[in-house]
Amino acid sequence: MPKTMFEKIWEAHVVRETVGQPSLLYIDLHLVHEVTSPQAFEGLRLTGRKVRRPDLTVATMDHNVPTTSRSLPILDQISKKQMEALSDNCREFGVTLYDIHSKRQGIVHVIGPELGLTQPGLTIVCGDSHTSTHGAFGALAFGIGTSEVEHVLATQCLPQSLPKTMEIRVNGKLGEGVTAKDIILAIIGKIGTDGATGYVVEYTGEAIRALSMEGRMTICNMSIEAGARAGLIAPDEKTFAYIQGKTFAPQHAEWDEAVASWRQLPSDPGAKYDTLVELNAAEIAPYVSWGTSPGMVIPISGLIPSPDDYADAADRRAAERALEYMGLTAGVSIQTVALDTVFIGSCTNGRIEDLRAAAGILKGHHVRAGIRALVVPGSVPVKLQAEAEGLDTIFKDAGFDWREAGCSMCLGMNPDILQPGERCASTSNRNFEGRQGKGGRTHLVSPQMAAAASIAGHLVDIREWDKN
Amino acid sequence: MESFTKVTGLAAPLDRVNADTDQIIPKQFLKRIERTGFGQFLFFDWRYEADGTTPNPEFELNQPQYSGAVVLITGKNFGCGSSREHAPWALADYGFKAILAPSYADIFYNNCFKNGILPVVLAEETIAMLLERGKTAGYTMTVDLENQTVTDSEGFSQPFEVDPFRRHCLLNGLDDIGLTLQHEPDITAYESKRPLWKRGAVAA
Ligand code: SF4
């Protein structure tokens, strides 16, 4: 019987099956960061357990780290304590750690692929919901809670019940100025923030195949925003080319063996998914979020919706609340709303390709007076690469703050936050109330759209911007 | 792991959809390295005014009639967003033992069972009705995992579905790491067959 890629990966990782119980799956790679791991390590200590496979476990610091100069002392003592706890835990349990002084440090979902740790066909977990990012390589990757982090540390396995499968097929070609970010925002807008709950999604179709690895990561990254357990994209020559030569990529005979196995992964013709969703890429405009959930999105040319547009009473109330929180009026063009801040970064859009795209728009321009603009590379290697290409100069000349690597204003655990009422165009993934700072108002956009918005002082249609 | 068999007590309605884990426990409280003490920060940004100390009178759970509530009734897709287990830690520490909603986000749902909280799925219309009933002061409910029923002080009674294995673990407060470790020979056998190129963080 023809099989989906998901089924192939799942079956290859079942350690044990017992009727009436979840399957016990083997985990090939466990990524760890400072926020969701301290209680898990503490649990191991309390029960006298060890980390079963330190070689399959890699830790970094990203959520809490200041992104100002690394030579400055860390002022937030509680953050500092959490980072120290990770260092101590990694030392005690023998886990590799890339701390803030490492050349490999960065957002956990940026460094996995960059180091060649993320490979097709693997099972990858991390105590972070955006672990779905790694699915761009054809790996089954999903976020877990701290109890499960402890479970994987102790056993390298995780009991999992079988999810359903959904194919999201994006046919045709994207228009000029439309990016991977716009595809995924359009998808979430269409199916809703719980549209894929209980499913593993596989993205297929011409528009997905045409994306770079960075673009594919952006798509899979935000799968969780549609509720999906994981997102997957079949590996191809682009995938192999991206991985080859990376620090932890297989080498020599092992490389050939690995690639041969990876070629077997894509879903077989005729494989069955539980659900199919189709989109036409040509109809996708640059998207922007207007509300407080990633499903509250409109095309940039659209008008801010009215609560009356929603059939369901609960959704209507949610829209009312969102309009109030966001300080917006229904029926108005989103392009007329003035911004205070522009943030370029995060595990969604903090990779080198994203910085290149933003710099391409900014070159020769300046950020509008009164706008605070910051760019936070997703990792130290991204930062160094950007500097080697001179992108840092373009950003700085345009008036952007050029930062060290980390999550930064994506969730505002470090000192970079919005003040109440401040409005931000952000390349991150969540526009929840208070996500970027209590009372802060977030509009999710692509890097190109964020860059153009920083120059204009408000959101603009990047397709028309090009003609200026 | 904490066990759960049955709870009877005050029920509080939180009539919102898509309440995400950033709202349940905002990020500024994720820096603690303990599992305990998160209840005081539950729904912090909704619960308090901008000064962070004055209770917001508009926020549902701040009404005195809900003080001591053990059952939370809420809208669909509860617990979406971040995987932070601090969310169920905060709910449990605040005193909630069971949640009733039309649907939950996967990771949050899973995290609840690890912390002795029972998330019950009920039909959207049923939840809409219970949210209404919850407005009455002194409204109490019983959530019974053993018999898989939800009942209230006004005669409502309904069975609910739950995965039998999850139910078994929660009723008995089983340590699921311990359960997995019983299969250690299977894990070792699996490991012996893993291809060499799956080296993780060790370069060839
Ligand atoms: S960049 Fe944002 S979404 Fe990504 S891991 Fe960091 S905090 Fe989470």
Side-chain angles (χ1 to χ4, degrees), chain A residues 371-390:
Chain A
I371 299 259
R372 166 170 65 146
L374 60 162
V375 51
V376 182
S379 70
V380 175
V382 167
K383 178 170 186 268
L384 296 177
Q385 176 66 29
E387 287 171 353
E389 297 177 19

Side-chain angles (χ1 to χ4, degrees), chain A residues 205-390:
Chain A
E206 186 186 351
I208 300 293
R209 299 255 61 86
L211 293 173
S212 65
M213 289 314 295
E214 284 88 349
R216 293 178 187 181
M217 284 188 254
T218 301
I219 301 261
C220 287
N221 173 275
M222 288 190 71
S223 303
I224 183 73
E225 257 54 71
R229 195 84 186 94
L232 281 171
I233 293 176
D236 57 14
E237 297 308 319
K238 256 185 234 178
T239 318
F240 309 151
Y242 181 101
I243 299 170
Q244 191 163 27
K246 295 266 191 300
T247 309
F248 295 114
Q251 290 181 27
H252 313 299
E254 286 185 9
W255 170 258
D256 297 335
E257 204 188 312
V259 173
S261 127
W262 297 343
R263 286 192 199 285
Q264 306 301 313
L265 287 169
S267 297
D268 300 328
K272 293 263 181 307
Y273 301 82
D274 295 306
T275 307
L276 167 70
V277 173
E278 273 189 287
L279 280 85
N280 181 354
E283 287 169 9
I284 300 175
Y287 264 74
V288 51
S289 70
W290 62 267
T292 52
S293 135
M296 293 173 165
V297 291
I298 47 171
I300 183 67
S301 46
L303 301 179
I304 295 164
S306 154
D308 300 335
D309 300 344
Y310 296 84
D312 181 73
D315 288 337
R316 226 168 13 246
R317 281 198 300 279
E320 264 162 33
R321 274 186 60 86
L323 284 176
E324 192 192 325
Y325 179 88
M326 294 296 289
L328 295 173
T329 315
V332 168
S333 160
I334 193 117
Q335 299 185 51
T336 61
V337 187
L339 298 167
D340 304 292
T341 302
V342 171
F343 170 69
I344 297 177
S346 88
C347 60
T348 310
N349 284 124
R351 298 185 189 80
I352 188 67
E353 188 185 70
D354 303 311
L355 303 198
R356 284 182 192 136
I361 303 282
L362 287 170
K363 200 170 178 158
H365 291 274
H366 201 277
V367 165
R368 192 174 174 94
I371 299 259
R372 166 170 65 146
L374 60 162
V375 51
V376 182
S379 70
V380 175
V382 167
K383 178 170 186 268
L384 296 177
Q385 176 66 29
E387 287 171 353
E389 297 177 19

Side-chain angles (χ1 to χ4, degrees), chain A residues 63 107 109 128 130 346-347 407 410-411 429 435:
Chain A
H63 284 68
I107 304 171
H109 312 308
D128 188 279
H130 291 101
S346 88
C347 60
C407 295
C410 173
L411 91 165
N429 43 51
R435 171 80 177 179

Side-chain angles (χ1 to χ4, degrees), chain A residues 41-71:
Chain A
F41 282 111
E42 185 58 20
L44 293 185
R45 261 191 296 272
L46 290 174
T47 46
R49 289 168 180 151
K50 290 188 171 40
V51 174
R52 182 178 177 93
R53 294 296 299 263
D55 55 329
L56 304 181
T57 312
V58 177
T60 190
M61 298 173 176
D62 52 8
H63 284 68
N64 259 328
V65 303
T67 58
T68 45
S69 169
R70 292 280 140 94
S71 57

Side-chain angles (χ1 to χ4, degrees), chain B residues 117-188:
Chain B
I117 298 186
L118 176 63
V120 175
V121 178
L122 294 174
E124 208 144 357
E125 311 81 68
T126 311
I127 290 294
M129 183 199 80
L130 297 178
L131 282 167
E132 262 322 293
R133 289 192 178 188
K135 290 180 183 161
T136 317
Y139 178 68
T140 62
M141 301 193 80
T142 297
V143 182
D144 183 340
L145 179 58
E146 195 114 52
N147 296 306
Q148 293 180 234
T149 54
V150 180
T151 49
D152 77 0
S153 44
E154 297 173 25
F156 167 84
S157 173
Q158 192 156 310
F160 64 87
E161 299 274 322
V162 58
D163 173 75
F165 186 68
R166 286 189 196 273
R167 175 175 173 272
H168 171 73
C169 291
L170 193 52
L171 281 174
N172 298 292
L174 295 182
D175 163 22
D176 56 354
I177 298 180
L179 290 181
T180 295
L181 285 173
Q182 287 173 7
H183 306 309
E184 146 73 41
D186 294 314
I187 304 174
T188 306

